[in-house]
Amino acid sequence: MLDTFGEYVRDFYEDAPQRDTLYAPEVLTWPVFLEQWQLIELDFQQHYHIDLAAPGLLESRRWGWFETRVIGLLGAETRLATHLQNRSKELREDT
């Protein structure tokens, strides 16, 4: 029974259409993210209801806290995600 199920799952994923990734690797770097600080601030406020300009907020949090939330913005309909997707399209068109 388990062998049959495993074969079914394997066949399903092998036949699944491959889709292009939304982001070019060149845009998935922290320097590129941080160039868009204004978008990050706006998205944090709208998406997470967190004001990054609040005194002491970033100093009191770990890097992982911030990193997790920025990466989360890439999987949602946010200003940052839209900007990086458009930048990725431009990079692909140039090559």
Side-chain angles (χ1 to χ4, degrees):
M1 173 78 173
L2 187 55
D3 289 335
T4 304
F5 180 72
E7 289 177 22
Y8 170 77
V9 170
R10 187 173 41 255
D11 290 343
F12 175 80
Y13 282 104
E14 286 176 357
D15 293 340
Q18 300 297 316
R19 65 182 188 131
D20 292 335
T21 58
L22 293 174
Y23 302 104
E26 297 87 346
V27 303
L28 295 179
T29 66
W30 283 104
V32 172
F33 293 162
L34 296 177
E35 286 173 4
Q36 303 306 318
W37 183 253
Q38 185 176 17
L39 299 180
I40 290 172
E41 279 190 295
L42 292 168
D43 286 342
F44 261 71
Q45 184 67 47
Q46 183 176 8
H47 194 70
Y48 300 124
H49 307 286
I50 296 172
D51 181 3
L52 291 179
L57 175 76
L58 292 176
E59 291 85 2
S60 67
R61 302 291 182 165
R62 295 183 338 252
W63 171 254
W65 176 89
F66 179 73
E67 179 183 33
T68 299
R69 283 154 184 80
V70 170
I71 300 303
L73 294 175
L74 300 180
E77 291 184 22
T78 61
R79 295 168 184 89
L80 180 64
T82 300
H83 173 77
L84 295 176
Q85 288 169 15
N86 290 337
R87 191 162 170 188
S88 294
K89 287 178 191 175
E90 292 170 3
L91 287 170
R92 288 188 180 113
E93 290 171 359
D94 289 345
T95 57

